[in-house]
Structure formats: structure tokens, C-alpha cells
Amino acid sequence: MIAESMMTFGAIPCGHGLQAVDFNIGVFYVISVSSIGIVGVLLAGWSSNNKYSMIGAMRSGAQFISYELSAGFALMTAVVLCGSMQLSHIVAEQTYVYHWTIFRGHIPAIIAFVI
């Protein structure tokens, strides 16, 4: 689970040129790698050899999946408004020159914020 966290943060830009990897499909990479953490929770519940721990782990895994689905939809709103799936390009679109995506996208950006 620690490795998936490090792999996710490696693709997120912290500044201009300050990221480990810059993928053209960075949004898909972040969503897919961050969903690997569910496996660690399920394995922890299964390895305890207790039926209640396994039920709790499966419930937690179901919650992870349901929250990732809505977070993915909110993230896709930013992708549609920016026109790129590259994370560095999405961050560059948020500068003052481009007038912040929330002011340009009005209703979809507000819906993504609520989600």
C-alpha cells in the first residue's frame, strides 16, 4: 500500500517541472494506481483468519470502489474542461492567464465540487 501511494504521488505535479513522471494519460494512471490500495485492505481482512474481519474488509473495499467512481467522475470534469489528460497541462490551465477552470466551466465545475 505504501508503494501505490508513492507511485501516485510521483505523477502529481508539485510545481513547474517538479514531478517524477509526466504521462500523456496521467489522469488514468492516477486513478488506476490509487485503486490498487483496495487489495491491501482486502488481504489484511482475509489474512486475519476471522470471518468478521473478512466481512469488514469486503465492506471497506466496496466503499473504496464506490467513492472512487464518484471521484473519477469529478476528475473527468476537469479533463473535459481542460481538454487534456496530462496532469501538468491541467495544472497549467489553472493559472491566472486562463482564468481558473471553475469560472470557465460554471455548472459542471460546481457539480464536480459537490461530488
Side-chain angles (χ1 to χ4, degrees), residues 9-68:
F9 284 119
I12 297 175
C14 297
H16 183 67
L18 291 175
Q19 64 190 39
V21 193
D22 191 17
F23 292 120
N24 288 338
I25 54 169
V27 173
F28 280 156
Y29 175 78
V30 168
I31 290 173
S32 64
V33 170
S34 66
S35 66
I36 295 173
I38 299 170
V39 175
V41 173
L42 291 175
L43 285 176
W46 180 62
S47 66
S48 68
N49 202 17
N50 184 352
K51 65 180 178 181
Y52 298 113
S53 296
M54 182 61 185
I55 291 171
M58 291 189 64
R59 179 177 178 265
S60 177
Q63 284 181 336
F64 270 126
I65 292 170
S66 66
Y67 286 128
E68 282 182 358

Side-chain angles (χ1 to χ4, degrees), residues 1 6-7 17 26 42 46 52 66 90 98 110-111 114-115:
M1 290 181 69
M6 298 297 250
M7 289 171 56
L42 291 175
W46 180 62
Y52 298 113
S66 66
I90 292 172
Y98 294 108
I110 292 171
I111 292 171
V114 169
I115 289 175

Side-chain angles (χ1 to χ4, degrees), residues 4 16 20 30 36 38 43 46 54 56 61 69 80-81 84-85 95 99 105 113:
E4 70 87 14
H16 183 67
V30 168
I36 295 173
I38 299 170
L43 285 176
W46 180 62
M54 182 61 185
L69 186 64
V80 169
L81 291 175
S84 174
M85 294 185 70
T95 60
H99 306 295
F113 173 75

Side-chain angles (χ1 to χ4, degrees), residues 90-114:
I90 292 172
V91 170
E93 286 280 326
Q94 297 294 325
T95 60
Y96 180 72
V97 177
Y98 294 108
H99 306 295
W100 286 87
T101 308
I102 194 165
F103 297 125
R104 208 174 34 173
H106 302 304
I107 302 300
I110 292 171
I111 292 171
F113 173 75
V114 169

